[in-house]
Short mmCIF file of all heavy atoms in Angstrom, two decimals:
data_model
loop_
_atom_site.label_atom_id
_atom_site.label_comp_id
_atom_site.label_asym_id
_atom_site.label_seq_id
_atom_site.Cartn_x
_atom_site.Cartn_y
_atom_site.Cartn_z
N GLN A 9 -0.17 6.24 19.35
CA GLN A 9 0.69 6.04 18.18
C GLN A 9 1.59 7.26 18.01
O GLN A 9 1.15 8.39 18.26
CB GLN A 9 -0.15 5.88 16.90
CG GLN A 9 -0.95 4.62 16.81
CD GLN A 9 -1.62 4.51 15.45
OE1 GLN A 9 -1.07 4.89 14.42
NE2 GLN A 9 -2.84 3.98 15.45
N ILE A 10 2.81 7.01 17.57
CA ILE A 10 3.74 8.10 17.26
C ILE A 10 4.18 7.95 15.81
O ILE A 10 4.65 6.89 15.40
CB ILE A 10 4.97 8.08 18.19
CG1 ILE A 10 4.53 8.20 19.66
CG2 ILE A 10 5.93 9.21 17.84
CD1 ILE A 10 3.80 9.49 19.99
N ARG A 11 4.03 9.02 15.05
CA ARG A 11 4.43 9.05 13.64
C ARG A 11 5.11 10.37 13.33
O ARG A 11 4.89 11.38 14.00
CB ARG A 11 3.20 8.93 12.73
CG ARG A 11 2.52 7.60 12.70
CD ARG A 11 1.32 7.66 11.77
NE ARG A 11 0.66 6.38 11.61
CZ ARG A 11 -0.45 6.20 10.91
NH1 ARG A 11 -1.01 7.24 10.30
NH2 ARG A 11 -0.99 5.01 10.81
N THR A 12 5.90 10.35 12.27
CA THR A 12 6.41 11.62 11.74
C THR A 12 5.33 12.26 10.88
O THR A 12 4.33 11.62 10.51
CB THR A 12 7.67 11.41 10.88
OG1 THR A 12 7.30 10.67 9.70
CG2 THR A 12 8.75 10.65 11.64
N LEU A 13 5.54 13.52 10.53
CA LEU A 13 4.57 14.22 9.68
C LEU A 13 4.47 13.56 8.31
O LEU A 13 3.38 13.48 7.72
CB LEU A 13 4.97 15.69 9.52
CG LEU A 13 4.89 16.54 10.79
CD1 LEU A 13 5.34 17.97 10.49
CD2 LEU A 13 3.48 16.56 11.36
N PHE A 14 5.59 13.07 7.77
CA PHE A 14 5.56 12.38 6.48
C PHE A 14 4.74 11.10 6.58
O PHE A 14 3.94 10.78 5.70
CB PHE A 14 6.98 12.06 6.00
CG PHE A 14 7.68 13.21 5.35
CD1 PHE A 14 8.72 13.87 6.00
CD2 PHE A 14 7.31 13.66 4.09
CE1 PHE A 14 9.37 14.93 5.41
CE2 PHE A 14 7.96 14.72 3.48
CZ PHE A 14 8.99 15.36 4.14
N GLU A 15 4.95 10.34 7.66
CA GLU A 15 4.21 9.10 7.86
C GLU A 15 2.72 9.37 8.00
O GLU A 15 1.87 8.63 7.49
CB GLU A 15 4.73 8.37 9.10
CG GLU A 15 6.13 7.80 8.93
CD GLU A 15 6.77 7.41 10.25
OE1 GLU A 15 6.27 7.80 11.31
OE2 GLU A 15 7.82 6.73 10.21
N GLU A 16 2.39 10.44 8.70
CA GLU A 16 0.99 10.79 8.89
C GLU A 16 0.32 11.17 7.57
O GLU A 16 -0.82 10.80 7.32
CB GLU A 16 0.88 11.95 9.90
CG GLU A 16 -0.52 12.46 10.12
CD GLU A 16 -1.41 11.48 10.88
OE1 GLU A 16 -0.95 10.36 11.20
OE2 GLU A 16 -2.56 11.85 11.16
N GLY A 17 1.06 11.91 6.73
CA GLY A 17 0.50 12.29 5.43
C GLY A 17 0.15 11.08 4.60
O GLY A 17 -0.96 10.97 4.05
N TRP A 18 1.10 10.14 4.50
CA TRP A 18 0.80 8.91 3.75
C TRP A 18 -0.31 8.13 4.42
O TRP A 18 -1.23 7.63 3.76
CB TRP A 18 2.04 8.03 3.64
CG TRP A 18 1.68 6.68 3.11
CD1 TRP A 18 1.46 6.32 1.82
CD2 TRP A 18 1.41 5.50 3.89
NE1 TRP A 18 1.09 5.00 1.73
CE2 TRP A 18 1.05 4.47 2.99
CE3 TRP A 18 1.45 5.22 5.25
CZ2 TRP A 18 0.73 3.19 3.42
CZ3 TRP A 18 1.13 3.95 5.68
CH2 TRP A 18 0.78 2.95 4.76
N GLY A 19 -0.26 8.00 5.75
CA GLY A 19 -1.23 7.19 6.47
C GLY A 19 -2.65 7.70 6.29
O GLY A 19 -3.59 6.90 6.15
N GLU A 20 -2.82 9.01 6.29
CA GLU A 20 -4.16 9.57 6.13
C GLU A 20 -4.72 9.29 4.73
O GLU A 20 -5.89 8.96 4.58
CB GLU A 20 -4.13 11.08 6.39
CG GLU A 20 -4.05 11.43 7.87
CD GLU A 20 -5.27 10.92 8.64
OE1 GLU A 20 -6.38 11.44 8.43
OE2 GLU A 20 -5.10 9.97 9.43
N ILE A 21 -3.86 9.43 3.73
CA ILE A 21 -4.32 9.14 2.36
C ILE A 21 -4.63 7.66 2.21
O ILE A 21 -5.66 7.28 1.64
CB ILE A 21 -3.25 9.58 1.34
CG1 ILE A 21 -3.11 11.11 1.36
CG2 ILE A 21 -3.61 9.11 -0.07
CD1 ILE A 21 -1.98 11.64 0.51
N ASP A 22 -3.76 6.81 2.74
CA ASP A 22 -3.98 5.36 2.65
C ASP A 22 -5.26 4.96 3.38
O ASP A 22 -6.04 4.15 2.89
CB ASP A 22 -2.78 4.64 3.26
CG ASP A 22 -2.92 3.12 3.17
OD1 ASP A 22 -2.73 2.59 2.06
OD2 ASP A 22 -3.21 2.49 4.19
N HIS A 23 -5.49 5.54 4.55
CA HIS A 23 -6.68 5.21 5.33
C HIS A 23 -7.94 5.67 4.60
O HIS A 23 -8.96 4.98 4.60
CB HIS A 23 -6.60 5.87 6.70
CG HIS A 23 -7.61 5.37 7.68
ND1 HIS A 23 -8.91 5.81 7.69
CD2 HIS A 23 -7.52 4.45 8.67
CE1 HIS A 23 -9.58 5.20 8.65
NE2 HIS A 23 -8.77 4.36 9.27
N HIS A 24 -7.85 6.83 3.97
CA HIS A 24 -9.03 7.36 3.28
C HIS A 24 -9.38 6.55 2.05
O HIS A 24 -10.55 6.33 1.73
CB HIS A 24 -8.77 8.82 2.88
CG HIS A 24 -9.94 9.49 2.23
ND1 HIS A 24 -10.06 9.62 0.87
CD2 HIS A 24 -11.06 10.05 2.76
CE1 HIS A 24 -11.20 10.24 0.58
NE2 HIS A 24 -11.82 10.51 1.72
N ILE A 25 -8.35 6.06 1.34
CA ILE A 25 -8.59 5.38 0.07
C ILE A 25 -8.71 3.86 0.25
O ILE A 25 -9.60 3.22 -0.31
CB ILE A 25 -7.46 5.70 -0.94
CG1 ILE A 25 -7.49 7.19 -1.28
CG2 ILE A 25 -7.61 4.87 -2.21
CD1 ILE A 25 -6.37 7.64 -2.17
N LEU A 26 -7.82 3.27 1.05
CA LEU A 26 -7.75 1.81 1.12
C LEU A 26 -8.41 1.19 2.34
O LEU A 26 -9.13 0.21 2.23
CB LEU A 26 -6.28 1.35 1.08
CG LEU A 26 -5.60 1.32 -0.29
CD1 LEU A 26 -4.17 0.83 -0.12
CD2 LEU A 26 -6.35 0.42 -1.25
N TYR A 27 -8.11 1.73 3.50
CA TYR A 27 -8.46 1.04 4.74
C TYR A 27 -9.89 1.33 5.14
O TYR A 27 -10.30 2.49 5.17
CB TYR A 27 -7.52 1.48 5.86
CG TYR A 27 -7.78 0.79 7.18
CD1 TYR A 27 -7.22 -0.44 7.45
CD2 TYR A 27 -8.60 1.38 8.13
CE1 TYR A 27 -7.45 -1.07 8.65
CE2 TYR A 27 -8.84 0.75 9.33
CZ TYR A 27 -8.26 -0.47 9.59
OH TYR A 27 -8.50 -1.09 10.79
N PRO A 28 -10.68 0.32 5.53
CA PRO A 28 -10.33 -1.10 5.45
C PRO A 28 -11.07 -1.81 4.33
O PRO A 28 -11.15 -3.02 4.32
CB PRO A 28 -10.81 -1.62 6.81
CG PRO A 28 -12.05 -0.80 7.07
CD PRO A 28 -11.83 0.55 6.39
N TYR A 29 -11.64 -1.06 3.38
CA TYR A 29 -12.62 -1.65 2.47
C TYR A 29 -12.13 -1.89 1.05
O TYR A 29 -12.81 -2.51 0.26
CB TYR A 29 -13.87 -0.76 2.43
CG TYR A 29 -14.31 -0.33 3.80
CD1 TYR A 29 -14.43 1.01 4.12
CD2 TYR A 29 -14.58 -1.28 4.80
CE1 TYR A 29 -14.83 1.41 5.39
CE2 TYR A 29 -14.98 -0.89 6.06
CZ TYR A 29 -15.10 0.45 6.35
OH TYR A 29 -15.48 0.83 7.61
N LYS A 30 -10.93 -1.38 0.68
CA LYS A 30 -10.47 -1.54 -0.69
C LYS A 30 -9.07 -2.14 -0.76
O LYS A 30 -8.32 -1.89 -1.70
CB LYS A 30 -10.49 -0.19 -1.41
CG LYS A 30 -11.88 0.42 -1.55
CD LYS A 30 -11.84 1.75 -2.29
CE LYS A 30 -13.23 2.36 -2.41
NZ LYS A 30 -13.21 3.67 -3.09
N LYS A 31 -8.70 -2.92 0.25
CA LYS A 31 -7.35 -3.47 0.30
C LYS A 31 -7.09 -4.45 -0.83
O LYS A 31 -5.94 -4.75 -1.14
CB LYS A 31 -7.12 -4.16 1.64
CG LYS A 31 -7.01 -3.19 2.82
CD LYS A 31 -6.73 -3.94 4.11
CE LYS A 31 -6.57 -2.97 5.26
NZ LYS A 31 -6.34 -3.67 6.54
N SER A 32 -8.15 -4.97 -1.44
CA SER A 32 -7.96 -5.96 -2.50
C SER A 32 -7.79 -5.33 -3.87
O SER A 32 -7.57 -6.03 -4.85
CB SER A 32 -9.16 -6.93 -2.53
OG SER A 32 -10.37 -6.21 -2.77
N ASP A 33 -7.88 -4.01 -3.97
CA ASP A 33 -7.74 -3.33 -5.25
C ASP A 33 -6.25 -3.22 -5.59
O ASP A 33 -5.52 -2.46 -4.95
CB ASP A 33 -8.35 -1.94 -5.18
CG ASP A 33 -8.43 -1.26 -6.54
OD1 ASP A 33 -7.39 -1.25 -7.25
OD2 ASP A 33 -9.49 -0.73 -6.89
N PRO A 34 -5.74 -3.97 -6.60
CA PRO A 34 -4.29 -4.00 -6.86
C PRO A 34 -3.75 -2.65 -7.33
O PRO A 34 -2.61 -2.30 -7.01
CB PRO A 34 -4.16 -5.08 -7.94
CG PRO A 34 -5.50 -5.15 -8.59
CD PRO A 34 -6.50 -4.85 -7.52
N MET A 35 -4.53 -1.90 -8.08
CA MET A 35 -4.05 -0.62 -8.59
C MET A 35 -3.88 0.38 -7.45
O MET A 35 -2.83 1.05 -7.33
CB MET A 35 -5.04 -0.06 -9.63
CG MET A 35 -4.59 1.25 -10.25
SD MET A 35 -5.73 1.82 -11.54
CE MET A 35 -7.22 2.12 -10.57
N LEU A 36 -4.88 0.49 -6.56
CA LEU A 36 -4.79 1.42 -5.44
C LEU A 36 -3.72 0.98 -4.46
O LEU A 36 -3.01 1.81 -3.88
CB LEU A 36 -6.14 1.51 -4.74
CG LEU A 36 -7.27 2.15 -5.54
CD1 LEU A 36 -8.57 2.15 -4.74
CD2 LEU A 36 -6.92 3.57 -5.94
N THR A 37 -3.56 -0.33 -4.27
CA THR A 37 -2.54 -0.83 -3.36
C THR A 37 -1.14 -0.49 -3.85
O THR A 37 -0.27 -0.07 -3.08
CB THR A 37 -2.68 -2.35 -3.19
OG1 THR A 37 -3.98 -2.66 -2.67
CG2 THR A 37 -1.62 -2.90 -2.25
N GLU A 38 -0.91 -0.63 -5.14
CA GLU A 38 0.41 -0.31 -5.70
C GLU A 38 0.70 1.19 -5.58
O GLU A 38 1.82 1.59 -5.25
CB GLU A 38 0.49 -0.74 -7.17
CG GLU A 38 1.87 -0.50 -7.79
CD GLU A 38 1.99 -1.08 -9.18
OE1 GLU A 38 1.15 -1.91 -9.57
OE2 GLU A 38 2.95 -0.69 -9.88
N PHE A 39 -0.32 2.00 -5.84
CA PHE A 39 -0.13 3.45 -5.71
C PHE A 39 0.21 3.82 -4.26
O PHE A 39 1.11 4.63 -4.00
CB PHE A 39 -1.39 4.20 -6.14
CG PHE A 39 -1.28 5.69 -5.95
CD1 PHE A 39 -0.59 6.47 -6.86
CD2 PHE A 39 -1.86 6.31 -4.85
CE1 PHE A 39 -0.49 7.85 -6.69
CE2 PHE A 39 -1.75 7.68 -4.66
CZ PHE A 39 -1.07 8.44 -5.58
N SER A 40 -0.48 3.18 -3.30
CA SER A 40 -0.22 3.46 -1.90
C SER A 40 1.21 3.05 -1.52
O SER A 40 1.88 3.74 -0.74
CB SER A 40 -1.23 2.71 -1.03
OG SER A 40 -0.99 2.95 0.34
N GLU A 41 1.69 1.94 -2.08
CA GLU A 41 3.05 1.49 -1.81
C GLU A 41 4.07 2.51 -2.31
O GLU A 41 5.07 2.80 -1.64
CB GLU A 41 3.30 0.14 -2.48
CG GLU A 41 2.68 -1.05 -1.74
CD GLU A 41 3.47 -1.43 -0.51
OE1 GLU A 41 4.59 -0.91 -0.32
OE2 GLU A 41 2.98 -2.25 0.28
N LEU A 42 3.84 3.05 -3.50
CA LEU A 42 4.76 4.06 -4.05
C LEU A 42 4.78 5.30 -3.16
O LEU A 42 5.84 5.87 -2.87
CB LEU A 42 4.33 4.43 -5.47
CG LEU A 42 4.50 3.34 -6.54
CD1 LEU A 42 3.85 3.77 -7.85
CD2 LEU A 42 5.98 3.04 -6.76
N LEU A 43 3.60 5.73 -2.73
CA LEU A 43 3.52 6.90 -1.86
C LEU A 43 4.19 6.64 -0.52
O LEU A 43 4.84 7.52 0.06
CB LEU A 43 2.04 7.28 -1.65
CG LEU A 43 1.75 8.67 -1.10
CD1 LEU A 43 2.32 9.74 -2.03
CD2 LEU A 43 0.25 8.86 -0.95
N ASN A 44 4.09 5.41 -0.06
CA ASN A 44 4.73 5.01 1.19
C ASN A 44 6.25 5.13 1.08
O ASN A 44 6.93 5.61 2.00
CB ASN A 44 4.31 3.57 1.53
CG ASN A 44 4.71 3.19 2.95
OD1 ASN A 44 5.15 4.00 3.73
ND2 ASN A 44 4.55 1.92 3.26
N ARG A 45 6.80 4.68 -0.04
CA ARG A 45 8.25 4.79 -0.23
C ARG A 45 8.70 6.25 -0.24
O ARG A 45 9.74 6.61 0.32
CB ARG A 45 8.66 4.12 -1.53
CG ARG A 45 8.52 2.60 -1.53
CD ARG A 45 8.88 2.02 -2.88
NE ARG A 45 8.16 0.80 -3.16
CZ ARG A 45 8.10 0.23 -4.33
NH1 ARG A 45 8.72 0.77 -5.35
NH2 ARG A 45 7.42 -0.89 -4.50
N LEU A 46 7.91 7.10 -0.88
CA LEU A 46 8.24 8.52 -0.92
C LEU A 46 8.24 9.13 0.47
O LEU A 46 9.11 9.94 0.81
CB LEU A 46 7.25 9.27 -1.82
CG LEU A 46 7.42 9.09 -3.33
CD1 LEU A 46 6.29 9.77 -4.08
CD2 LEU A 46 8.76 9.66 -3.79
N SER A 47 7.27 8.75 1.29
CA SER A 47 7.21 9.30 2.65
C SER A 47 8.42 8.84 3.46
O SER A 47 8.97 9.61 4.25
CB SER A 47 5.91 8.89 3.34
OG SER A 47 5.90 7.50 3.63
#
């Protein structure tokens, strides 16, 4: 996989919080989406 440093920062947080066991949590999913846009 190839990512930028910004993408990696978001990806690590998303993986730690959401993937793969909390994807159905709407609050955490929305927060991850916002962080994704920032990255």
Side-chain angles (χ1 to χ4, degrees):
Q9 291 186 36
I10 301 299
R11 290 179 175 176
T12 66
L13 293 179
F14 279 108
E15 291 165 347
E16 176 70 357
W18 169 80
E20 283 299 291
I21 293 173
D22 182 75
H23 192 279
H24 183 262
I25 295 176
L26 281 181
Y27 181 86
Y29 314 123
K30 297 181 181 178
K31 289 182 178 179
S32 60
D33 189 311
M35 182 176 65
L36 293 178
T37 300
E38 183 173 344
F39 177 79
S40 180
E41 283 284 350
L42 292 171
L43 196 59
N44 191 8
R45 291 178 209 167
L46 285 174
S47 69

